[in-house]
Amino acid sequence: GPNASGPVLQPVIDDVHAYMVASHLTSAPVIGHSMGGLVGLRIAEQYPDDLKRLLIVDSLPFFGVVFGGPNATVEAMTPIAKSFSDRIIQGTQEAYAAGQDAQLARLVKSPQGRVLALAQAQASDHAVVGQALYDDLTTDARPDLAKIKAHVVVLYPWDESTGAPQAAFDQMYQGAYAPLADKAVTRIDGSYHFIMYDQPEAMD
């Protein structure tokens, strides 16, 4: 539909804002996972009257910090984002769908959760996913974090099976959200990217 071509991230931000205004939900809590977390963060920055509470589930204000650390820039991230995006867009829907099982094995620890996520992932249009990935990787919400008035709760995962040092995860997420005035940044252990599937009780 409307996402079939062109940018994805900013139009979704604008559409969620329009929906909230039309539905008189201007003080509703917003929950976003992954790119949805970035959507919520950008709504809080661009439309500050829309929300008072935001829950972000494993999302960073700029994903480039995973590649380049806290000094990462959009300029440095752009060619990397384009490479990732082009690989998805220039492939076929069948190839994209076929690769999702292996992809989700790195994102969902729970076998049951992986089954739930797989059907949705395989049904997603590969070209839209590629464009959304590019938008996500080249959007830096860090400069406006200090302006956000909403109370923001950030949940981020860590699991020892990934081999990533716990301290490094703590430093990355805590550091990325440090400019927020009203926040709680909390680690959920025993989870991959889909915290709601891997540790639902802890998330609740």
Side-chain angles (χ1 to χ4, degrees):
N3 292 327
S5 63
V8 175
L9 181 60
Q10 189 59 48
V12 168
I13 292 165
D14 295 336
D15 279 354
V16 173
H17 162 70
Y19 169 78
M20 293 178 74
V21 171
S23 304
H24 307 289
L25 298 174
T26 51
S27 61
V30 172
I31 302 171
H33 169 243
S34 197
M35 193 178 86
L38 183 59
V39 168
L41 202 59
R42 294 299 279 166
I43 289 172
E45 291 177 342
Q46 297 175 18
Y47 303 106
D49 294 331
D50 278 10
L51 57 90
K52 295 180 180 178
R53 291 177 292 163
L54 172 62
L55 173 63
I56 295 173
V57 183
D58 197 17
S59 181
L60 288 159
F62 180 45
F63 195 73
V65 301
V66 173
F67 295 85
N71 296 321
T73 65
V74 171
E75 290 75 18
M77 195 64 202
T78 297
I80 299 172
K82 189 173 187 309
S83 174
F84 288 164
S85 177
D86 286 351
R87 194 176 310 150
I88 297 172
I89 293 173
Q90 292 170 8
T92 66
Q93 181 67 28
E94 292 73 20
Y96 170 78
Q100 289 310 294
D101 194 27
Q103 177 73 1
L104 286 172
R106 297 187 290 270
L107 299 176
V108 190
K109 186 177 182 180
S110 160
Q112 297 89 346
R114 200 176 304 160
V115 171
L116 292 171
L118 182 59
Q120 296 178 37
Q122 290 178 330
S124 297
D125 184 279
H126 75 289
V128 176
V129 170
Q131 180 62 52
L133 178 63
Y134 178 85
D135 293 353
D136 192 316
L137 295 178
T138 57
T139 297
D140 189 352
R142 293 176 299 176
D144 293 323
L145 285 179
K147 300 176 184 177
I148 292 178
K149 300 175 183 178
H151 175 63
V152 181
V153 174
V154 180
L155 303 181
Y156 67 95
W158 179 78
D159 189 81
E160 61 182 359
S161 67
T162 64
Q166 186 185 89
F169 262 54
D170 292 343
Q171 184 176 15
M172 181 171 64
Y173 283 90
Q174 298 281 348
Y177 286 103
L180 285 174
D182 185 3
K183 64 181 180 295
V185 184
T186 302
R187 190 184 70 243
I188 303 293
D189 292 339
S191 178
Y192 293 173
H193 182 51
F194 283 73
I195 298 174
M196 70 290 288
Y197 289 155
D198 291 344
Q199 293 293 340
E201 292 182 6
M203 179 167 168
D204 288 346

